[in-house]
Amino acid sequence: MYRPTRRSFLRLGGVTAAGALGALVPAGPAHTPDDSFLRLRRRWREVTVGGGYDPAAEPYRTWLAELGRTAARHRDTMAPGRGSLWPDQAFPSFVTTPRRLRAMAQAYVLEGTGLAGDAGLAAAVAEGVDHYRRSVYADGAEATGNWWHWQIGVPKALLDAAVLAGLPEPLSARLRDAVDHFVPERRLGQYRGNSTAANRVDLCLVMLLRAMLGSDHGKAALAASALAPVFRLVSEGDGFYRDGSFIQHTHVPYQGAYGVTLLSGLATMFAVLRGTPWEVSDQNVFDMVERSFAPFVRDGACMDLVRGRGVGRKPFGDHERGREIAAAVLLLGEGASAAERARWHAMVKGWAVRDTCRPMLEHPEPAFHARLAAVVDDASVPAAEEPVGHRLLPMSARAVHRRPGWCAALSMASSRIGHYEHGNGENLRGWHTGSGMLYWWAAGHGDQYSDDFWPTVDPYRLPGTTVSTKRLPDGAGGDWGDTCPPGRWVGGATDGTYATVGQHLNGLESTMEAFRSWFFLDDAIVCLGAGITAEDGVPVETVVDNRRAGAALTVREGWAHLEGHGGYVVRGSLRTLRERRAGGGVTRDYVTLWLDHGVDPRAAGYVYLLMPGAGQEETRARAADPGWVRVLANTDRLQAVHVPSLGLTAANFWDAGAAGGLTASAPCAVLVRGDTLTVSDPRCDLDELTVTWAGETFTFDGLAGREGASTTVRRPV
């Protein structure tokens, strides 16, 4: 058990209480007090730990008291030894030990913990930080294992603890030297490798904390200036794209993990540096709140199709990531324009009001809670409804479709985007998430993919996918997203309300090939498949759905209905299975519906409608109305439909061709509604495209440079 002694206090340089004012400025010849850094450290505490609330009011009183008890327990059980700082955490303990030290430092600066300004706690933090530095994170030590721990995770936690609790000289100097060894200034010299996007923001945060600890103007300036490459839009590799895509690890859409880290880090740095000589801001970052992040948050939860390998880490992780996005948006909003801030407050309030699975205001983080409570309690701020419309992000092979009462999202793989990502032992069976996995949510089912879906679902039967049932080893394909298939035609065209989306699919470590299209409409998604071919010696299946549900399933010729969820209109022999599946120490009930294309199919196909939220009678009526949608073509050269009630014709031309009054001179996606024609070049290689529509010819130039984005023209009346 750790008990600070008189000798400890002498060695630590006489730490005194800083209380709620934040970190101390240690005395010593190596660095002198600097008002700008005093303000910076105070602002760091206010932004990252908390402020703007009454610590005696609930729920803050309870949360702060619990933090105090936790910090006291850490202090009392700390037992510095050769192989650990706490007996239950053997070194190197890259995560838990630094986080405990940071929690102790937070309790030291927060009123209401019962430990604010406690000199003994500050001494324990200083002793613990220095012991970890000597034992693990020493200047000159060899960085083994994952680089992230040495350059981001460990230094960020240790520096945060040191800045908050006030690490005295010479301990502060030794920690600064260790950080300089593992994160030298040259680390921010080039924007490449693992110093891009979210990783670059984290490295800049480490540099800023290092500057605060040593009152170092040069490092503060470097931390701010080195953010510049993050703000630029990219056309390949890591970063933000014009269509709103965010990529990390070269091939993985990542708004819901690395993107959250990036947005949170930037919001923090913008807020902390505001009004200082190193103030930084960028409009592209503000734009990406609504363009890149908001499309993937539904009722407070961040969709799994942009969460990479982290989808199965813990139940309701999607809601946790949604909360982190909300926290970053509110903090970033403090520096946004009045119009942006008003929209964001309404948007976040809507998320908070509708997230009944994991209510945001129940999260025990005072700083975020105070900001969110101020918005939720403000009667002048409306709670924005879920938006209605379609967002297609071709550069990340993702699509999100919202209609009143339901939402769907599509995850595809392409020559640019991997089938899935695995790494560090995570997501080893996410093989088929890029094979057209179709997520959908209807009213009352916000937790459909939250509550232990990933550890219990059949990984060979993910909803919406067409897959070879060939058995795959854990971690099949390259790690870190290096699982891109050769198919280049992946994307589609949207007018912002409806969309035609397609994928030329090549199976992961399989001979399977398929041409797949989704037509996103008002109350249904029309799903077509063609040219389904394989030579793996096993059946190929299209999974109409695999729903985590125990509800009643009704199956009739041509249609099926899952009570409380939705309906399916299917042309062909639909197979069904109800099963209870176990994984991760839990069990969940599933209802699976699929189409069996047989062993080694040659040019197989399918047609079905998904009707989220539909009742049984609606489903029956749609099945009895064959004219509701006309399938104009369903081949490996062209897939097209016409919906008379909407005046809509949509086609995915895998090659030049004609259907339904439309003719295209090259592969493209085309959507016609009323007097509007929308086209795109999913392969991003067309110098010129000619489309004939109702006898009129339209020529489009420069589509290759539009990165798969849709182009709309109106026919003269």
Side-chain angles (χ1 to χ4, degrees):
M1 297 189 44
Y2 177 79
R3 291 288 185 271
T5 64
R6 181 175 182 275
R7 183 180 178 186
S8 325
F9 281 108
L10 290 173
R11 186 170 66 250
L12 297 175
V15 176
T16 56
L21 292 179
L24 299 174
V25 181
H31 67 265
T32 57
D34 184 318
D35 285 347
S36 61
F37 282 99
L38 278 170
R39 291 192 297 270
L40 200 60
R41 286 188 282 271
R42 184 177 296 114
R43 182 61 177 155
W44 176 264
R45 186 201 70 80
E46 293 169 350
V47 169
T48 64
V49 183
Y53 58 85
D54 180 359
E58 293 292 0
Y60 308 109
R61 179 181 176 183
T62 296
W63 293 344
L64 292 168
E66 176 58 30
L67 174 60
R69 287 190 293 270
T70 299
R73 185 168 61 251
H74 292 336
R75 176 199 61 199
D76 295 343
T77 58
M78 203 171 79
R82 289 180 59 85
S84 67
L85 185 55
W86 281 277
D88 65 328
Q89 295 296 322
F91 285 154
S93 185
F94 289 127
V95 177
T96 301
T97 293
R99 284 182 179 175
R100 286 180 180 178
L101 292 167
R102 179 166 54 189
M104 291 163 64
Q106 290 171 345
Y108 172 68
V109 298
L110 285 177
E111 296 290 350
T113 64
L115 294 171
D118 184 285
L121 180 61
V125 172
E127 175 83 351
V129 168
D130 194 57
H131 178 270
Y132 189 87
R133 178 201 60 78
R134 294 194 312 270
S135 305
V136 178
Y137 202 69
D139 179 9
E142 181 183 356
T144 58
N146 193 328
W147 71 273
W148 185 90
H149 293 305
W150 299 92
Q151 298 182 29
I152 293 176
V154 168
K156 191 158 68 168
L158 294 182
L159 287 167
D160 195 359
V163 166
L164 290 175
L167 203 64
E169 296 290 345
L171 274 57
S172 175
R174 293 169 185 158
L175 178 59
R176 298 196 304 268
D177 288 344
V179 173
D180 291 347
H181 169 68
F182 293 109
V183 194
E185 291 187 0
R186 65 177 180 275
R187 188 71 175 86
L188 297 176
Q190 293 184 314
Y191 192 69
R192 66 184 185 188
N194 51 24
S195 184
T196 62
N199 288 332
R200 169 56 71 97
V201 173
D202 264 344
L203 289 166
C204 288
L205 268 172
V206 169
M207 192 64 65
L208 178 60
L209 283 162
R210 165 63 182 82
M212 284 192 278
L213 187 63
S215 297
D216 190 317
H217 287 259
K219 290 187 184 298
L222 175 61
S225 64
L227 289 173
V230 176
F231 304 146
R232 296 195 292 264
L233 298 182
V234 301
S235 57
E236 62 181 4
D238 292 352
F240 288 105
Y241 291 70
R242 284 192 300 172
D243 67 355
S245 296
F246 174 76
I247 304 296
Q248 190 91 41
H249 291 171
T250 309
H251 306 296
V252 186
Y254 243 135
Q255 285 92 327
Y258 282 96
V260 178
T261 298
L262 181 147
L263 191 67
S264 299
L266 289 177
T268 298
M269 292 192 71
F270 286 9
V272 170
L273 294 174
R274 191 174 304 122
T276 73
W278 313 287
E279 183 168 349
V280 62
S281 184
D282 183 84
Q283 187 56 44
N284 275 339
V285 176
F286 295 126
D287 292 343
M288 286 304 165
V289 167
E290 291 164 282
R291 187 184 303 167
S292 187
F293 291 92
F296 294 100
V297 178
R298 180 189 179 275
D299 290 352
C302 179
M303 300 176 185
D304 284 345
L305 69 167
V306 289
R307 292 182 57 221
R309 71 183 188 279
V311 291
R313 285 178 181 168
K314 60 180 180 179
F316 294 94
D318 53 348
H319 290 264
E320 180 71 13
R321 288 303 192 184
R323 181 202 63 77
E324 291 172 1
I325 292 173
V329 169
L330 291 181
L331 180 57
L332 192 67
E334 294 178 2
S337 69
E340 286 170 324
R341 187 162 54 251
R343 292 198 306 272
W344 297 356
H345 282 185
M347 177 178 70
V348 171
K349 184 172 182 176
W351 293 346
V353 167
R354 292 190 300 276
D355 190 356
T356 57
C357 297
R358 285 292 187 274
M360 287 187 180
L361 282 172
E362 292 182 4
H363 196 278
E365 187 178 301
F368 166 59
H369 187 280
R371 294 184 186 104
L372 180 59
V375 171
V376 171
D377 294 341
D378 188 343
S380 69
V381 176
E385 298 289 336
E386 278 283 309
V388 174
H390 190 92
R391 280 299 311 275
L392 177 60
L393 290 80
M395 297 309 289
S396 55
R398 298 294 187 263
V400 179
H401 189 68
R402 285 178 162 92
R403 304 303 301 164
W406 64 278
C407 175
L410 180 64
S411 170
M412 300 173 287
S414 73
S415 58
R416 299 179 297 269
I417 301 299
H419 269 286
Y420 79 117
E421 183 197 46
H422 70 88
N424 289 340
E426 296 181 297
N427 199 36
L428 297 177
R429 298 184 177 182
W431 313 299
H432 298 304
T433 46
S435 297
M437 184 173 177
L438 186 60
Y439 304 73
W440 63 274
W441 300 263
H445 297 288
D447 65 345
Q448 173 62 211
Y449 309 100
S450 308
D451 187 9
D452 288 301
F453 173 85
W454 292 103
T456 55
V457 72
D458 184 344
Y460 293 96
R461 286 179 169 167
L462 298 180
T465 59
T466 294
V467 299
S468 165
T469 58
K470 174 185 176 183
R471 301 296 97 171
L472 296 173
D474 287 359
D479 56 4
W480 309 112
D482 188 17
T483 53
C484 297
R488 294 167 54 229
W489 202 122
V490 178
T494 179
D495 61 3
T497 302
Y498 306 112
T500 175
V501 182
Q503 177 187 26
H504 178 192
L505 172 63
N506 304 97
L508 177 69
E509 296 197 350
S510 163
T511 62
M512 194 207 71
E513 181 181 25
F515 295 83
R516 313 190 67 208
S517 291
W518 297 264
F519 303 95
F520 292 90
L521 307 173
D522 275 329
D523 64 354
I525 305 169
V526 181
C527 305
L528 302 186
I532 302 172
T533 303
E535 297 179 351
D536 295 335
V538 297
V540 172
E541 299 176 350
T542 292
V543 185
V544 174
D545 213 344
N546 195 353
R547 203 85 177 144
R548 189 179 60 76
L553 176 67
T554 301
V555 181
R556 298 290 185 268
E557 184 177 353
W559 63 274
H561 182 263
L562 185 59
E563 186 66 32
H565 290 257
Y568 313 85
V569 177
V570 183
R571 299 182 186 178
S573 179
L574 182 67
R575 298 194 176 189
T576 65
L577 173 67
R578 184 183 294 280
E579 62 179 339
R580 175 163 292 181
R581 296 184 56 83
V586 299
T587 60
R588 293 292 181 266
D589 293 326
Y590 284 87
V591 173
T592 310
L593 304 91
W594 77 96
L595 300 166
D596 188 346
H597 303 301
V599 176
D600 293 345
R602 308 299 300 175
Y606 63 82
V607 177
Y608 68 89
L609 273 66
L610 169 64
M611 300 177 64
Q616 187 172 130
E617 289 308 311
E618 294 173 80
T619 306
R620 187 200 310 271
R622 184 62 52 83
D625 182 8
W628 183 83
V629 59
R630 292 174 51 209
V631 176
L632 304 176
N634 187 24
T635 72
D636 59 3
R637 295 180 61 85
L638 169 64
Q639 291 174 313
V641 300
H642 175 62
V643 184
S645 62
L646 297 177
L648 179 146
T649 300
N652 290 330
F653 291 90
W654 306 109
D655 206 339
L662 290 170
T663 301
S665 65
C668 63
V670 180
L671 178 72
V672 171
R673 183 162 64 102
D675 63 352
T676 301
L677 170 70
T678 302
V679 303
S680 77
D681 170 21
R683 301 194 313 177
C684 303
D685 65 356
L686 290 179
D687 293 326
E688 181 179 284
L689 171 68
T690 299
V691 176
T692 300
W693 168 33
E696 295 188 45
T697 298
F698 298 83
T699 300
F700 301 88
D701 296 317
L703 289 179
R706 289 185 52 79
E707 299 178 349
S710 299
T711 299
T712 298
V713 298
R714 291 185 179 276
R715 182 171 59 183
V717 178

